[in-house]
Amino acid sequence: VRRIDFVLSYVDDKVGEKKQVCLTEKRQQVTNWDDQKTYFLKIHAPWDVLATYADVLKIKVPFKTSDIPHGQDIPLGWLSRPFRPPEHIMHPQPDYFTYPFDKSKTDFFLISDKDTFFPPSTRNRIVFYILARCPYYKEGRKDKEKTGIKRLLSNGTYTAAFPLHDCRYWKRARNAECESERYNLYKHWARFLSFYKDQPLNLIRKYYGEKIGIYFAWLGFYTEMLFFAAVMGFICFTYGLLSYDDNISSKEICDANIGGRIVMCPLCDKKCTFWKLNSTCLSSWQSHLFDNEGTVFFAIFMGIWVTLFLEFWKRRQARLEYEWDLVDFEEEQQQLQIRPEFEIRCNKRRLNKITQEMEPYLPISSKCARFCLSGATVAFWISLIVACIIGVIAYRLAVYAAFASIIEHPVRNIHLVGRFITPQLATSVTASCINFVIIMILNFFYERVAIWITDMEIPKTHLEYENRLTLKMFMFQFVNYYSSCFYVAFFKGKFVGYPGDYSYMFGKWSNLRNEECDPGGCLIELTTQLVIVMSGKQLWGNIQEALLPSRKGRQHPENQYSRWEQDHVLQNFSQLGLFYEYLEMVIQFGFITLFVASFPLAPLLALFNNILEIRVDAWKFTTQFRRPVASKARNIGAWQEILNAVAILSVVTNAFIMAFTSDMIPRMVYLYAYSQDASMSGYINNSLSVYNISQIPDPNIPEKTENWIDNSTTTCSYRDYRYPPGHLKEYTHTMQFWHILAAKMAFIIIMEHVVFVVKFFVAWLIPDVPSDVKARVKRERYLIQEYLHNYEVERLKLQLSASFITEPVSEMSSTTDKLEVLSEFL
């Protein structure tokens, strides 16, 4: 009989007790559900209610069919047809010129049927706006906290509040007039076999609203751009494989006559013994796969790629803003989105100088106190992360000696795998796994703390709430996920000292000697850390979604269960649902940009993950979640600024990784300044310094040498550029050390400036708003003014004609004069 715009449900064992709802149109039904009585209140918003609140919310509605073509046919466009869903799915409704709804000018708009004029997404948005502000306290009492459906849901009065899906997802609706949009979304979007097809963004927006539509638009565009980064990363990795046999440094390390004769100094005190350089043969080959000349060009390419991604996304976003009627949305409607919690909890009111109306506000003293407490809480949790990272570093230092004594012991069975698992690798892998577990645990607790302190701040609008929560969560996640990678990239192996004067983490009393890098460099350890944390996070997220309790509507056939009963068993999509989806992708974006120089295959892994992520998210929305309340958003909000900040930081981090973590600069300095034959032959001996074994202090000398050295061995080698024993400047840095340091700083400055110049030039070259979109916006504004003018003129003519008919004959002459004046004026 009537369209059901919203459903409220509650469980009540008391017969005859009914809950009331604020809208006039309602029906109740009692259903035996899980051995309890579940009441369903079906809410219908009549035309007058919809028109009133559409006017209040300034909802844009069509007033004229658009006369601007979408664009010319693309040459060879037929090649893209297999990758596009059918046209009625991609463009489910005609293109219109729109204008904010005005209840007093209903004949100005294209209203053919009042029942279908407002789409279901707009109807449920209006109903929820009313429910969120509807008081339920008794008349005469001023208990203003008793306001809104959210509070009734939180205190258990109602168990659920949701709009209805239009049909079952696996079958079209029985009613031929129903569009069955849910079925179309499942068939052409949510199934994994559609992974190669474009997303039907217009249909997503029509069914779920602009906020969810803009998320999938961004995720799809990000995945498309990842394809180019993945291809370049794969080419870089392939270059490392093809140049495998040309790696002279690794050949020297593995050569029994070169690396097999170089005795290295112990890597830890007491427990670690002297060792041969060729024991790191495998890790040096592995390091070459990622630490080669191609990595430099890939790091520069990624600096440019991230700029292109952000600039082209701005253009795509501007086009969606126009097509989805979001131009000027924030400026006009932000004040209309005041959170009900703000209105309820802020008892004091003041005069708004613009609207000249009394509005609630939060006193500055209360605001400062809340911000201070919030800031202190965030600082405490970030400090807790740093403390955990320091604990993991201490673990690495303490356990390295244990692994060294076990793996390298000549009589243990584990020595069989010791050829492949070095103490450095074992320590790095176990520490990375422990760090990942700590990350997950801290995330679990901090998410709840961040929501609590954001609620405590009482943000005024929904946008402010989301932006504050976004900033808090990302600051925490940034430190939580990236701190271990920053340690390996920029601190490990940089403050080691040398035999006889080693540096210790907490002083010599702690016996925790700072870690050294492998002779092949620290880059392979950064790669290991990045792969474990990044892949572990994506795998954990996919496991969580795979273990999501499946709510299959097929268990509740439509001939036995109504539409609202089938939707009731689905999971609720919370207000912060999209927040966690964005956070997951932005953290991934940080991994593939901040540390991509250490692992060129990171974009490829992210591409595969995102192809799966889009379809899994689509599957969840269409089959597992109740229909979310539609809401508007013109862009991705605070995430845009976070992406810009990460993009700028990524240029700096990759420059420092190539300079200080990679061995590229020392190799280039040796090749062009110190090599005798303009080749890399002799680089390994050149990059090592020697120390007199007899001068090693007792606290650093191994407990057992295990016959690693004979009586003729008087020196051991270590990774540094220092003068040998007996030199006038023994154990001080050589001139080559300062040459390499100068080359590293010069490389950082040159790379940063080159990438930043290209970034800013590309950003300047590509306009944020496409020219055709600017033309359409101007065309629409012009038509609005023209049509409004014509409408008002026709309306005035009708009013004057009506007054002319009803006026007495004696007044006709004056009316005629009025019409003549009006005609002359027009």
Side-chain angles (χ1 to χ4, degrees), residues 712-773:
S712 62
T713 304
T714 59
T715 60
C716 63
S717 301
Y718 59 99
R719 185 180 172 84
D720 206 344
Y721 294 91
R722 295 179 182 271
Y723 289 108
H727 194 278
L728 293 176
K729 300 179 180 179
E730 68 173 3
Y731 305 139
T732 60
H733 285 123
T734 64
M735 186 58 65
Q736 186 175 353
F737 170 84
W738 300 109
H739 286 170
I740 292 174
L741 182 60
K744 289 180 177 180
M745 300 307 297
F747 173 82
I748 291 173
I749 294 173
I750 293 173
M751 178 178 172
E752 286 184 356
H753 281 68
V754 168
V755 175
F756 278 131
V757 167
V758 174
K759 278 173 64 70
F760 292 130
F761 176 74
V762 169
W764 171 80
L765 189 64
I766 302 175
D768 292 347
V769 182
S771 58
D772 63 317
V773 172

Side-chain angles (χ1 to χ4, degrees), residues 357-370:
E357 296 179 357
M358 299 300 292
E359 64 177 9
Y361 80 101
L362 190 66
I364 189 66
S365 57
S366 176
K367 187 179 294 187
C368 290
R370 294 172 188 273

Side-chain angles (χ1 to χ4, degrees), residues 343-462:
E343 296 176 336
I344 295 168
R345 297 175 64 180
C346 295
N347 299 322
K348 296 186 178 181
R349 296 184 174 270
R350 65 182 176 187
L351 183 67
N352 187 314
K353 296 180 180 179
I354 299 174
T355 63
Q356 293 297 310
E357 296 179 357
M358 299 300 292
E359 64 177 9
Y361 80 101
L362 190 66
I364 189 66
S365 57
S366 176
K367 187 179 294 187
C368 290
R370 294 172 188 273
F371 282 170
C372 289
L373 179 59
S374 174
T377 306
V378 174
F380 168 77
W381 277 88
I382 291 179
S383 301
L384 184 62
I385 299 174
V386 175
C388 291
I389 295 300
I390 293 175
V392 173
I393 295 172
Y395 161 83
R396 298 172 69 108
L397 302 180
V399 82
Y400 178 82
F403 278 122
S405 61
I406 294 174
I407 294 178
E408 295 186 346
H409 200 285
V411 297
R412 304 283 175 88
N413 291 332
I414 201 170
H415 181 63
L416 295 175
V417 295
R419 294 174 56 192
F420 305 100
I421 303 178
T422 63
Q424 292 96 329
L425 180 61
T427 302
S428 180
V429 170
T430 56
S432 298
C433 293
I434 292 173
N435 183 66
F436 177 72
V437 173
I438 293 174
I439 287 173
M440 293 295 104
I441 293 174
L442 291 177
N443 275 348
F444 176 80
F445 289 104
Y446 182 77
E447 285 179 3
R448 289 151 181 78
V449 174
I451 293 173
W452 174 75
I453 59 179
T454 306
D455 289 338
M456 180 199 62
E457 293 176 3
I458 321 180
K460 184 176 182 180
T461 65
H462 293 290

Side-chain angles (χ1 to χ4, degrees), residues 81 84 112 139 148 169 407 474 500 553 562 574 577 644 682 804:
R81 289 176 186 172
R84 294 175 59 84
S112 58
E139 295 183 4
Y169 69 85
I407 294 178
F474 183 76
S562 61
S574 67
N644 289 332
F804 174 78

Side-chain angles (χ1 to χ4, degrees), residues 795-808:
R795 194 176 184 182
L796 184 56
K797 285 182 179 180
L798 291 174
Q799 290 176 354
L800 291 174
S801 299
S803 63
F804 174 78
I805 295 172
T806 57
E807 283 181 353

